[in-house]
Amino acid sequence: MSAAIEKPLIENDPKARFRNAPRNLDFTIDQDWRRYTAAEHDRWDRLFRRSQAILRDRACDEFVAMIEKLKLSESGIPDMEQLSDRLAKLTGWRVVPVRELVPDDIFFDHLANRRFPAGAFIRSEAEMDYLQKPDVFHDIFGHVPLLANPVYADFMQAYGQGGNRALALGRLANLARLYWYTIEFGLIRTPAGLRIFGAGIMSSVGESVFALESNSPNRIGFNLERVMRTQYVIDDFQQTYFVIDSFETCCKRVIGILAGCMSG
Ligand SMILES: [Fe+2]
Protein backbone atom coordinates (compact mmCIF):
# COMPACT_ATOMS: atom_id res chain seq x y z
CA MET A 1 0.00 0.00 0.00
CA SER A 2 1.19 3.50 -0.55
CA ALA A 3 1.90 6.36 1.82
CA ALA A 4 4.08 9.42 1.85
CA ILE A 5 5.00 9.18 5.52
CA GLU A 6 8.63 8.50 6.27
CA LYS A 7 10.14 7.58 9.61
CA PRO A 8 13.79 8.15 10.63
CA LEU A 9 15.88 5.03 10.11
CA ILE A 10 17.64 3.53 13.09
CA GLU A 11 20.97 1.76 13.04
CA ASN A 12 20.73 -1.90 11.96
CA ASP A 13 17.38 -1.14 10.41
CA PRO A 14 17.19 -3.49 7.40
CA LYS A 15 15.85 -0.59 5.31
CA ALA A 16 19.08 1.34 5.92
CA ARG A 17 20.88 -0.51 3.13
CA PHE A 18 18.43 0.90 0.60
CA ARG A 19 18.17 4.36 2.11
CA ASN A 20 20.70 5.95 -0.22
CA ALA A 21 19.98 3.76 -3.21
CA PRO A 22 19.58 5.99 -6.27
CA ARG A 23 15.87 6.40 -6.85
CA ASN A 24 14.28 6.81 -10.26
CA LEU A 25 11.49 9.32 -10.90
CA ASP A 26 8.94 6.53 -10.46
CA PHE A 27 10.50 5.71 -7.06
CA THR A 28 11.98 2.41 -8.23
CA ILE A 29 15.49 1.40 -7.18
CA ASP A 30 17.97 -1.35 -8.00
CA GLN A 31 17.13 -4.36 -5.85
CA ASP A 32 20.88 -5.07 -5.66
CA TRP A 33 19.97 -8.70 -5.03
CA ARG A 34 23.56 -9.91 -4.57
CA ARG A 35 23.91 -7.82 -1.42
CA TYR A 36 21.28 -9.66 0.61
CA THR A 37 23.04 -11.52 3.40
CA ALA A 38 22.73 -15.23 4.15
CA ALA A 39 20.82 -14.27 7.31
CA GLU A 40 18.30 -12.28 5.25
CA HIS A 41 17.74 -15.15 2.82
CA ASP A 42 17.36 -17.48 5.78
CA ARG A 43 14.77 -15.14 7.31
CA TRP A 44 12.75 -15.30 4.07
CA ASP A 45 12.96 -19.11 4.12
CA ARG A 46 11.69 -19.29 7.68
CA LEU A 47 8.86 -16.85 6.97
CA PHE A 48 7.97 -18.84 3.87
CA ARG A 49 7.94 -22.23 5.61
CA ARG A 50 5.90 -20.92 8.50
CA SER A 51 3.33 -19.33 6.22
CA GLN A 52 3.10 -22.39 4.00
CA ALA A 53 2.32 -24.57 7.00
CA ILE A 54 -0.41 -22.24 8.25
CA LEU A 55 -1.91 -21.55 4.85
CA ARG A 56 -2.41 -25.17 3.91
CA ASP A 57 -6.21 -25.47 3.66
CA ARG A 58 -6.58 -21.76 4.44
CA ALA A 59 -5.30 -19.99 1.29
CA CYS A 60 -7.45 -20.00 -1.84
CA ASP A 61 -6.53 -22.47 -4.60
CA GLU A 62 -5.59 -19.69 -7.03
CA PHE A 63 -2.91 -18.46 -4.61
CA VAL A 64 -1.50 -21.92 -3.87
CA ALA A 65 -1.25 -22.83 -7.56
CA MET A 66 0.77 -19.73 -8.39
CA ILE A 67 3.29 -20.15 -5.57
CA GLU A 68 4.67 -23.16 -7.45
CA LYS A 69 4.25 -21.73 -10.92
CA LEU A 70 6.20 -18.59 -9.99
CA LYS A 71 8.83 -20.69 -8.19
CA LEU A 72 8.35 -18.77 -4.97
CA SER A 73 9.08 -21.96 -3.09
CA GLU A 74 12.73 -21.78 -4.15
CA SER A 75 15.07 -20.86 -1.32
CA GLY A 76 15.93 -17.23 -0.58
CA ILE A 77 14.57 -13.76 -1.29
CA PRO A 78 13.43 -13.71 -4.92
CA ASP A 79 15.31 -11.73 -7.53
CA MET A 80 12.54 -9.41 -8.74
CA GLU A 81 13.82 -9.34 -12.34
CA GLN A 82 13.70 -13.12 -12.64
CA LEU A 83 10.35 -13.28 -10.87
CA SER A 84 8.98 -10.57 -13.16
CA ASP A 85 10.04 -12.53 -16.23
CA ARG A 86 8.00 -15.51 -15.03
CA LEU A 87 5.04 -13.34 -14.02
CA ALA A 88 5.06 -11.31 -17.24
CA LYS A 89 4.64 -14.49 -19.29
CA LEU A 90 1.40 -15.20 -17.43
CA THR A 91 -0.29 -11.80 -17.13
CA GLY A 92 2.12 -9.07 -18.26
CA TRP A 93 2.72 -7.86 -14.70
CA ARG A 94 6.16 -7.05 -13.29
CA VAL A 95 7.38 -6.54 -9.74
CA VAL A 96 9.53 -3.43 -9.24
CA PRO A 97 11.72 -2.74 -6.18
CA VAL A 98 11.17 0.37 -4.06
CA ARG A 99 12.78 1.58 -0.84
CA GLU A 100 9.50 1.59 1.06
CA LEU A 101 5.96 2.94 0.73
CA VAL A 102 5.53 5.26 -2.24
CA PRO A 103 3.19 8.25 -2.70
CA ASP A 104 -0.34 7.43 -3.80
CA ASP A 105 -0.09 8.89 -7.31
CA ILE A 106 3.12 6.95 -8.00
CA PHE A 107 1.59 3.76 -6.62
CA PHE A 108 -1.53 4.06 -8.76
CA ASP A 109 0.53 4.81 -11.85
CA HIS A 110 2.56 1.64 -11.34
CA LEU A 111 -0.57 -0.47 -10.94
CA ALA A 112 -2.21 1.12 -13.96
CA ASN A 113 0.83 0.00 -15.96
CA ARG A 114 0.92 -3.51 -14.50
CA ARG A 115 3.86 -2.94 -12.21
CA PHE A 116 3.65 -3.88 -8.56
CA PRO A 117 6.01 -1.89 -6.30
CA ALA A 118 7.58 -4.19 -3.70
CA GLY A 119 9.71 -3.13 -0.73
CA ALA A 120 13.26 -4.38 -1.28
CA PHE A 121 14.14 -4.75 2.41
CA ILE A 122 13.24 -7.70 4.59
CA ARG A 123 11.91 -7.25 8.11
CA SER A 124 14.19 -7.64 11.13
CA GLU A 125 14.15 -10.66 13.44
CA ALA A 126 12.23 -8.56 15.96
CA GLU A 127 9.45 -8.04 13.39
CA MET A 128 8.84 -11.66 12.43
CA ASP A 129 5.32 -11.57 13.86
CA TYR A 130 4.33 -7.96 13.46
CA LEU A 131 5.37 -5.51 10.81
CA GLN A 132 4.42 -1.84 10.52
CA LYS A 133 5.37 -1.37 6.91
CA PRO A 134 5.31 -3.80 4.01
CA ASP A 135 8.62 -5.55 3.34
CA VAL A 136 9.72 -7.89 0.56
CA PHE A 137 7.98 -10.86 2.18
CA HIS A 138 4.62 -9.16 2.53
CA ASP A 139 4.79 -7.60 -0.92
CA ILE A 140 6.02 -10.63 -2.83
CA PHE A 141 4.66 -13.61 -0.93
CA GLY A 142 1.40 -11.85 -0.08
CA HIS A 143 0.63 -9.97 -3.29
CA VAL A 144 2.42 -11.48 -6.25
CA PRO A 145 0.86 -14.98 -6.56
CA LEU A 146 -2.59 -13.63 -7.41
CA LEU A 147 -1.12 -11.20 -9.92
CA ALA A 148 -0.51 -14.33 -11.99
CA ASN A 149 -4.27 -14.89 -12.12
CA PRO A 150 -5.67 -13.13 -15.24
CA VAL A 151 -8.92 -11.89 -13.65
CA TYR A 152 -7.22 -10.62 -10.52
CA ALA A 153 -4.45 -9.07 -12.62
CA ASP A 154 -7.03 -7.03 -14.55
CA PHE A 155 -8.69 -5.99 -11.29
CA MET A 156 -5.42 -4.64 -9.89
CA GLN A 157 -4.76 -2.65 -13.04
CA ALA A 158 -8.30 -1.20 -12.94
CA TYR A 159 -7.73 -0.27 -9.32
CA GLY A 160 -4.64 1.71 -10.29
CA GLN A 161 -6.51 3.47 -13.08
CA GLY A 162 -9.38 4.28 -10.72
CA GLY A 163 -6.94 5.44 -8.06
CA ASN A 164 -5.64 8.41 -9.95
CA ARG A 165 -9.19 9.41 -10.82
CA ALA A 166 -10.25 9.13 -7.16
CA LEU A 167 -7.24 11.18 -6.15
CA ALA A 168 -8.33 13.97 -8.48
CA LEU A 169 -11.91 13.80 -7.15
CA GLY A 170 -10.87 13.70 -3.48
CA ARG A 171 -12.43 10.28 -2.94
CA LEU A 172 -9.34 8.37 -2.01
CA ALA A 173 -10.72 7.16 1.33
CA ASN A 174 -13.41 5.12 -0.40
CA LEU A 175 -10.96 3.50 -2.74
CA ALA A 176 -8.54 2.80 0.08
CA ARG A 177 -11.26 0.82 1.83
CA LEU A 178 -11.86 -1.25 -1.29
CA TYR A 179 -8.14 -2.08 -1.41
CA TRP A 180 -8.07 -2.85 2.27
CA TYR A 181 -11.05 -5.20 2.36
CA THR A 182 -10.19 -7.09 -0.83
CA ILE A 183 -6.53 -6.95 -1.86
CA GLU A 184 -5.24 -6.88 1.73
CA PHE A 185 -7.91 -8.60 3.84
CA GLY A 186 -10.29 -10.35 1.48
CA LEU A 187 -11.83 -13.78 2.02
CA ILE A 188 -13.40 -15.97 -0.67
CA ARG A 189 -16.15 -18.56 -0.42
CA THR A 190 -15.25 -21.94 -1.96
CA PRO A 191 -16.92 -25.38 -1.99
CA ALA A 192 -14.40 -26.42 0.66
CA GLY A 193 -15.26 -23.48 2.93
CA LEU A 194 -13.91 -19.96 3.43
CA ARG A 195 -10.42 -19.29 2.14
CA ILE A 196 -8.02 -16.35 2.34
CA PHE A 197 -6.97 -14.24 -0.63
CA GLY A 198 -5.91 -10.94 1.00
CA ALA A 199 -2.16 -10.31 1.17
CA GLY A 200 -2.35 -8.74 4.62
CA ILE A 201 -3.77 -11.97 6.01
CA MET A 202 -1.50 -14.24 3.94
CA SER A 203 1.62 -12.65 5.37
CA SER A 204 0.43 -12.81 9.00
CA VAL A 205 0.43 -16.22 10.65
CA GLY A 206 -1.75 -15.01 13.54
CA GLU A 207 -4.35 -13.32 11.36
CA SER A 208 -4.52 -16.30 8.97
CA VAL A 209 -5.98 -18.36 11.79
CA PHE A 210 -7.99 -15.51 13.33
CA ALA A 211 -9.65 -14.46 10.06
CA LEU A 212 -11.04 -17.92 9.37
CA GLU A 213 -11.49 -19.52 12.77
CA SER A 214 -12.09 -16.92 15.47
CA ASN A 215 -15.67 -16.27 16.60
CA SER A 216 -14.83 -12.61 17.09
CA PRO A 217 -14.86 -10.93 13.65
CA ASN A 218 -17.81 -10.31 11.34
CA ARG A 219 -17.63 -12.07 8.01
CA ILE A 220 -19.93 -10.30 5.58
CA GLY A 221 -20.79 -11.01 1.97
CA PHE A 222 -18.99 -8.54 -0.31
CA ASN A 223 -21.00 -5.39 -0.88
CA LEU A 224 -19.17 -2.49 -2.45
CA GLU A 225 -21.26 0.25 -0.84
CA ARG A 226 -20.80 -1.30 2.58
CA VAL A 227 -17.06 -1.76 2.01
CA MET A 228 -16.74 1.90 1.13
CA ARG A 229 -18.32 3.02 4.39
CA THR A 230 -16.59 0.54 6.70
CA GLN A 231 -13.61 1.96 8.55
CA TYR A 232 -10.65 -0.30 9.18
CA VAL A 233 -7.94 -0.66 11.79
CA ILE A 234 -4.27 -0.73 10.87
CA ASP A 235 -2.70 -1.89 14.14
CA ASP A 236 -4.79 -4.91 15.09
CA PHE A 237 -6.60 -7.86 13.51
CA GLN A 238 -9.69 -6.79 11.56
CA GLN A 239 -13.13 -6.94 13.15
CA THR A 240 -14.81 -7.19 9.76
CA TYR A 241 -13.88 -9.30 6.74
CA PHE A 242 -15.72 -9.19 3.45
CA VAL A 243 -16.27 -12.45 1.59
CA ILE A 244 -16.41 -12.59 -2.21
CA ASP A 245 -18.06 -15.46 -4.11
CA SER A 246 -15.52 -15.68 -6.91
CA PHE A 247 -12.79 -13.63 -8.55
CA GLU A 248 -14.63 -13.91 -11.82
CA THR A 249 -17.83 -12.21 -10.65
CA CYS A 250 -16.50 -9.84 -8.00
CA CYS A 251 -13.43 -8.55 -9.84
CA LYS A 252 -15.28 -8.05 -13.09
CA ARG A 253 -18.13 -6.22 -11.38
CA VAL A 254 -15.75 -3.89 -9.55
CA ILE A 255 -13.72 -3.31 -12.71
CA GLY A 256 -16.97 -2.18 -14.40
CA ILE A 257 -17.79 0.19 -11.54
CA LEU A 258 -14.26 1.64 -11.49
CA ALA A 259 -14.42 2.19 -15.25
CA GLY A 260 -17.79 3.95 -14.80
CA CYS A 261 -16.35 6.21 -12.10
CA MET A 262 -13.48 7.13 -14.35
CA SER A 263 -15.69 8.21 -17.18
CA GLY A 264 -18.23 10.00 -14.96
FE1 LIG B 1 0.04 -5.03 0.99
Side-chain angles (χ1 to χ4, degrees):
M1 190 65 169
S2 62
I5 307 160
E6 292 204 9
K7 207 170 70 167
L9 292 164
I10 54 170
E11 211 173 331
N12 296 327
D13 185 321
K15 289 193 288 298
R17 176 149 63 82
F18 294 99
R19 187 178 193 181
N20 297 318
R23 193 173 66 187
N24 300 312
L25 287 176
D26 65 0
F27 281 66
T28 57
I29 59 170
D30 180 355
Q31 188 187 7
D32 203 6
W33 184 84
R34 284 183 177 75
R35 285 191 63 199
Y36 287 114
T37 65
E40 288 176 318
H41 285 301
D42 178 64
R43 202 171 303 142
W44 168 282
D45 288 346
R46 282 181 286 127
L47 286 163
F48 184 87
R49 282 196 299 270
R50 197 173 67 162
S51 293
Q52 282 290 82
I54 287 289
L55 291 174
R56 194 169 297 131
D57 298 328
R58 291 191 176 93
C60 65
D61 290 346
E62 291 85 348
F63 180 91
V64 174
M66 292 308 173
I67 288 276
E68 287 306 318
K69 203 155 187 176
L70 293 170
K71 299 188 179 174
L72 285 174
S73 52
E74 288 184 352
S75 181
I77 298 169
D79 178 321
M80 293 192 208
E81 272 296 305
Q82 292 178 7
L83 174 61
S84 292
D85 289 344
R86 292 193 282 272
L87 181 60
K89 283 183 189 141
L90 298 168
T91 56
W93 274 79
R94 299 193 73 81
V95 187
V96 292
V98 292
R99 291 178 189 165
E100 52 186 344
L101 297 165
V102 302
D104 292 327
D105 58 333
I106 301 287
F107 182 69
F108 293 139
D109 190 58
H110 278 302
L111 297 190
N113 288 284
R114 294 195 170 232
R115 293 186 301 264
F116 189 79
F121 73 97
I122 189 159
R123 68 193 67 185
S124 67
E125 287 291 336
E127 295 172 304
M128 289 291 276
D129 294 315
Y130 178 73
L131 185 67
Q132 277 191 319
K133 290 184 176 181
D135 70 339
V136 68
F137 185 74
H138 168 82
D139 281 338
I140 290 186
F141 178 83
H143 283 286
V144 172
L146 284 178
L147 290 175
N149 175 284
V151 175
Y152 191 89
D154 287 349
F155 169 62
M156 281 289 266
Q157 181 178 27
Y159 182 85
Q161 292 165 337
N164 275 329
R165 175 75 175 156
L167 205 55
L169 294 172
R171 292 183 190 157
L172 201 55
N174 287 351
L175 214 65
R177 288 174 188 160
L178 171 62
Y179 192 97
W180 191 265
Y181 284 117
T182 56
I183 294 161
E184 293 291 358
F185 292 96
L187 299 179
I188 183 167
R189 193 177 312 284
T190 79
L194 289 187
R195 292 288 183 269
I196 300 161
F197 77 88
I201 311 177
M202 292 287 189
S203 56
S204 163
V205 167
E207 191 151 4
S208 293
V209 176
F210 177 86
L212 291 184
E213 285 145 52
S214 170
N215 289 326
S216 168
N218 303 306
R219 299 179 186 88
I220 303 170
F222 181 83
N223 173 300
L224 186 60
E225 291 71 32
R226 188 157 179 185
V227 165
M228 297 251 188
R229 57 184 157 81
T230 304
Q231 293 190 349
Y232 55 78
V233 290
I234 58 168
D235 54 359
D236 201 354
F237 294 162
Q238 302 305 302
Q239 275 309 309
T240 300
Y241 298 96
F242 286 91
V243 183
I244 68 169
D245 287 325
S246 76
F247 291 119
E248 190 72 17
T249 51
C250 181
C251 291
K252 286 189 174 169
R253 184 168 154 256
V254 174
I255 288 169
I257 293 168
L258 287 171
C261 291
M262 283 188 289
S263 61

PDB file of all heavy atoms in Angstrom, residues 1 116 134 138-139 143 179 183-184 199-200, ligand 1:
ATOM      1  N   MET A   1       0.861  -1.184   0.000  1.00  0.00           N
ATOM      2  CA  MET A   1       0.000   0.000   0.000  1.00  0.00           C
ATOM      3  C   MET A   1       0.891   1.226   0.000  1.00  0.00           C
ATOM      4  O   MET A   1       2.044   1.171   0.380  1.00  0.00           O
ATOM      5  CB  MET A   1      -0.898  -0.047   1.246  1.00  0.00           C
ATOM      6  CG  MET A   1      -2.004   0.974   1.261  1.00  0.00           C
ATOM      7  SD  MET A   1      -3.179   0.671  -0.042  1.00  0.00           S
ATOM      8  CE  MET A   1      -4.496   1.755   0.372  1.00  0.00           C
ATOM      9  N   PHE A 116       3.942  -3.880  -9.991  1.00  0.00           N
ATOM     10  CA  PHE A 116       3.650  -3.881  -8.563  1.00  0.00           C
ATOM     11  C   PHE A 116       4.895  -3.468  -7.791  1.00  0.00           C
ATOM     12  O   PHE A 116       5.916  -4.161  -7.841  1.00  0.00           O
ATOM     13  CB  PHE A 116       3.162  -5.259  -8.087  1.00  0.00           C
ATOM     14  CG  PHE A 116       2.651  -5.204  -6.685  1.00  0.00           C
ATOM     15  CD1 PHE A 116       1.382  -4.708  -6.423  1.00  0.00           C
ATOM     16  CD2 PHE A 116       3.451  -5.572  -5.611  1.00  0.00           C
ATOM     17  CE1 PHE A 116       0.915  -4.594  -5.117  1.00  0.00           C
ATOM     18  CE2 PHE A 116       2.989  -5.460  -4.304  1.00  0.00           C
ATOM     19  CZ  PHE A 116       1.716  -4.969  -4.063  1.00  0.00           C
ATOM     20  N   PRO A 134       5.123  -2.618   4.855  1.00  0.00           N
ATOM     21  CA  PRO A 134       5.314  -3.796   4.007  1.00  0.00           C
ATOM     22  C   PRO A 134       6.763  -3.999   3.567  1.00  0.00           C
ATOM     23  O   PRO A 134       7.392  -3.075   3.060  1.00  0.00           O
ATOM     24  CB  PRO A 134       4.417  -3.514   2.801  1.00  0.00           C
ATOM     25  CG  PRO A 134       4.135  -2.058   2.842  1.00  0.00           C
ATOM     26  CD  PRO A 134       4.229  -1.627   4.259  1.00  0.00           C
ATOM     27  N   HIS A 138       6.034  -9.515   2.687  1.00  0.00           N
ATOM     28  CA  HIS A 138       4.617  -9.159   2.535  1.00  0.00           C
ATOM     29  C   HIS A 138       4.297  -8.875   1.063  1.00  0.00           C
ATOM     30  O   HIS A 138       3.324  -9.392   0.513  1.00  0.00           O
ATOM     31  CB  HIS A 138       4.264  -7.933   3.372  1.00  0.00           C
ATOM     32  CG  HIS A 138       2.914  -7.373   3.021  1.00  0.00           C
ATOM     33  ND1 HIS A 138       1.739  -7.879   3.526  1.00  0.00           N
ATOM     34  CD2 HIS A 138       2.558  -6.383   2.156  1.00  0.00           C
ATOM     35  CE1 HIS A 138       0.712  -7.225   3.003  1.00  0.00           C
ATOM     36  NE2 HIS A 138       1.182  -6.304   2.163  1.00  0.00           N
ATOM     37  N   ASP A 139       5.111  -8.042   0.440  1.00  0.00           N
ATOM     38  CA  ASP A 139       4.788  -7.598  -0.915  1.00  0.00           C
ATOM     39  C   ASP A 139       4.877  -8.714  -1.945  1.00  0.00           C
ATOM     40  O   ASP A 139       4.048  -8.792  -2.858  1.00  0.00           O
ATOM     41  CB  ASP A 139       5.696  -6.427  -1.320  1.00  0.00           C
ATOM     42  CG  ASP A 139       5.215  -5.115  -0.716  1.00  0.00           C
ATOM     43  OD1 ASP A 139       4.023  -5.015  -0.366  1.00  0.00           O
ATOM     44  OD2 ASP A 139       6.032  -4.180  -0.589  1.00  0.00           O
ATOM     45  N   HIS A 143       1.337 -10.581  -2.160  1.00  0.00           N
ATOM     46  CA  HIS A 143       0.626  -9.969  -3.290  1.00  0.00           C
ATOM     47  C   HIS A 143       0.857 -10.627  -4.648  1.00  0.00           C
ATOM     48  O   HIS A 143      -0.031 -10.606  -5.504  1.00  0.00           O
ATOM     49  CB  HIS A 143       1.042  -8.499  -3.424  1.00  0.00           C
ATOM     50  CG  HIS A 143       0.402  -7.592  -2.411  1.00  0.00           C
ATOM     51  ND1 HIS A 143      -0.920  -7.207  -2.484  1.00  0.00           N
ATOM     52  CD2 HIS A 143       0.898  -7.002  -1.290  1.00  0.00           C
ATOM     53  CE1 HIS A 143      -1.216  -6.404  -1.464  1.00  0.00           C
ATOM     54  NE2 HIS A 143      -0.124  -6.270  -0.719  1.00  0.00           N
ATOM     55  N   TYR A 179      -9.446  -1.388  -1.401  1.00  0.00           N
ATOM     56  CA  TYR A 179      -8.142  -2.077  -1.414  1.00  0.00           C
ATOM     57  C   TYR A 179      -7.974  -2.889  -0.140  1.00  0.00           C
ATOM     58  O   TYR A 179      -7.581  -4.055  -0.157  1.00  0.00           O
ATOM     59  CB  TYR A 179      -7.038  -1.025  -1.521  1.00  0.00           C
ATOM     60  CG  TYR A 179      -5.655  -1.568  -1.827  1.00  0.00           C
ATOM     61  CD1 TYR A 179      -5.164  -1.583  -3.132  1.00  0.00           C
ATOM     62  CD2 TYR A 179      -4.824  -2.041  -0.821  1.00  0.00           C
ATOM     63  CE1 TYR A 179      -3.900  -2.052  -3.418  1.00  0.00           C
ATOM     64  CE2 TYR A 179      -3.552  -2.522  -1.099  1.00  0.00           C
ATOM     65  CZ  TYR A 179      -3.093  -2.522  -2.401  1.00  0.00           C
ATOM     66  OH  TYR A 179      -1.831  -2.998  -2.683  1.00  0.00           O
ATOM     67  N   ILE A 183      -7.930  -6.622  -1.545  1.00  0.00           N
ATOM     68  CA  ILE A 183      -6.534  -6.955  -1.864  1.00  0.00           C
ATOM     69  C   ILE A 183      -5.731  -7.289  -0.603  1.00  0.00           C
ATOM     70  O   ILE A 183      -4.898  -8.191  -0.601  1.00  0.00           O
ATOM     71  CB  ILE A 183      -5.902  -5.786  -2.651  1.00  0.00           C
ATOM     72  CG1 ILE A 183      -6.605  -5.656  -4.010  1.00  0.00           C
ATOM     73  CG2 ILE A 183      -4.400  -5.973  -2.812  1.00  0.00           C
ATOM     74  CD1 ILE A 183      -6.413  -4.318  -4.700  1.00  0.00           C
ATOM     75  N   GLU A 184      -5.990  -6.597   0.491  1.00  0.00           N
ATOM     76  CA  GLU A 184      -5.243  -6.880   1.727  1.00  0.00           C
ATOM     77  C   GLU A 184      -5.934  -7.877   2.650  1.00  0.00           C
ATOM     78  O   GLU A 184      -5.284  -8.720   3.247  1.00  0.00           O
ATOM     79  CB  GLU A 184      -4.987  -5.584   2.506  1.00  0.00           C
ATOM     80  CG  GLU A 184      -4.049  -4.598   1.830  1.00  0.00           C
ATOM     81  CD  GLU A 184      -2.593  -5.067   1.751  1.00  0.00           C
ATOM     82  OE1 GLU A 184      -2.255  -6.156   2.255  1.00  0.00           O
ATOM     83  OE2 GLU A 184      -1.790  -4.341   1.140  1.00  0.00           O
ATOM     84  N   ALA A 199      -3.605 -10.222   0.891  1.00  0.00           N
ATOM     85  CA  ALA A 199      -2.164 -10.306   1.171  1.00  0.00           C
ATOM     86  C   ALA A 199      -1.830  -9.988   2.623  1.00  0.00           C
ATOM     87  O   ALA A 199      -0.884 -10.535   3.185  1.00  0.00           O
ATOM     88  CB  ALA A 199      -1.413  -9.350   0.251  1.00  0.00           C
ATOM     89  N   GLY A 200      -2.616  -9.095   3.231  1.00  0.00           N
ATOM     90  CA  GLY A 200      -2.346  -8.738   4.625  1.00  0.00           C
ATOM     91  C   GLY A 200      -2.577  -9.915   5.549  1.00  0.00           C
ATOM     92  O   GLY A 200      -1.889 -10.067   6.566  1.00  0.00           O
TER      93      GLY A 200
HETATM   94 FE    FE B   1       0.044  -5.033   0.994  1.00  0.00          FE
END
